[in-house]
């Protein structure tokens, strides 16, 4: 098979995977109410997972200005990285929930698919409002992993951010998967 045809076949497969990825990670449900209920169920499941693995995080979440829980599925195919997901941010002082979506796009060298669940702990109201209102987080990422269990992962402070979100702490959990990449990406969080 000629090299240009092989390249075209690989690119077609990559584009098909990326196109199918875009619709994979939305909250499930026929109505807005169903989707919100699904997001709250995801939030509660991930928070319980965090408390089971990192018991010290309970006090951080309870004493924070608020917290957000997101789930995302991303892929890196050659020079293009994309991802999409959803989540909910809870304001601890009012109990109000803000339902959000996220989309990630970036560039770099890589190959792989990664699903993650993240808990964002907002130590200040300013940090929480900044993500809710402006929504951008820029970052860099470098992976070289073939994971076999959920024990990999853990807590980091403002992982992958440029420091513009002072007062933010992130716990990230990933499922078993495989990734080999170096990416610079921008993530847009929006209501």
């Amino acid at each position: 098979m000629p090299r240009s045809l092989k390249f075209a076949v690989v690119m077609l497969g990559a584009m098909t995977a990326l196109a199918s990825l875009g619709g994979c990670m939305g909250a499930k449900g026929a109505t807005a109410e169903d989707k919100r209920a699904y997001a709250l169920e995801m939030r509660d499941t991930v928070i319980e997972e965090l408390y089971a693995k990192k018991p010290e995080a309970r006090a951080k979440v309870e004493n924070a200005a608020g917290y957000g829980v997101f789930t995302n599925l991303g892929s890196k195919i050659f020079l293009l990285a994309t991802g999409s997901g959803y989540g909910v941010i809870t304001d601890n002082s009012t109990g109000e929930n803000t339902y959000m979506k996220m989309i990630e796009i970036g560039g770099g060298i890589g190959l792989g698919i990664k699903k993650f669940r993240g808990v964002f702990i907002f130590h200040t109201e300013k940090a929480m409002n900044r993500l809710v209102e402006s929504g951008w987080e820029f970052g860099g990422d470098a992976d070289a992993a073939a994971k076999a269990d959920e024990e990999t992962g853990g807590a980091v402070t403002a992982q992958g951010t440029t420091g513009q979100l002072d007062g933010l702490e992130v716990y990230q959990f990933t499922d078993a998967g495989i990734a080999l990449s170096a990416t610079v990406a921008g993530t847009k969080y929006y209501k």
Side-chain angles (χ1 to χ4, degrees), residues 126-162:
K126 182 179 178 182
M128 180 174 58
N129 290 337
R130 197 174 345 201
L131 186 64
V132 169
E133 298 305 323
S134 64
W136 282 104
E137 176 185 319
F138 293 96
D141 187 353
D143 291 323
K147 296 182 357 166
D149 60 49
E150 288 191 28
E151 295 303 314
T152 309
V156 296
T157 301
Q159 176 184 356
T161 68
T162 60

Side-chain angles (χ1 to χ4, degrees), residues 26-152:
K28 293 181 182 17
T31 66
E33 188 176 298
D34 291 344
K35 291 177 182 183
R36 288 182 181 133
Y38 190 83
L40 290 174
E41 183 179 322
M42 178 276 302
R43 177 197 66 190
D44 294 344
T45 300
V46 173
I47 283 291
E48 288 306 314
E49 179 182 8
L50 174 64
Y51 293 165
K53 291 183 178 181
K54 301 286 183 182
E56 67 277 8
R58 181 183 299 270
K60 291 179 181 183
V61 169
E62 290 172 355
N63 295 315
Y67 65 98
V69 180
F70 289 88
T71 184
N72 179 16
L73 181 63
S75 70
K76 295 172 183 150
I77 301 174
F78 304 114
L79 299 175
L80 181 63
T82 64
S84 65
Y86 64 94
V88 60
I89 293 179
T90 302
D91 183 323
N92 280 342
S93 65
T94 66
E96 181 180 332
N97 293 315
T98 302
Y99 300 91
M100 301 186 76
K101 293 183 180 182
M102 61 187 294
I103 188 163
E104 178 181 36
I105 190 156
I109 299 171
L111 184 62
I113 295 176
K114 181 167 59 173
K115 180 178 179 183
F116 87 88
R117 293 161 321 281
V119 177
F120 293 44
I121 301 173
F122 301 102
H123 296 291
T124 65
E125 199 169 311
K126 182 179 178 182
M128 180 174 58
N129 290 337
R130 197 174 345 201
L131 186 64
V132 169
E133 298 305 323
S134 64
W136 282 104
E137 176 185 319
F138 293 96
D141 187 353
D143 291 323
K147 296 182 357 166
D149 60 49
E150 288 191 28
E151 295 303 314
T152 309

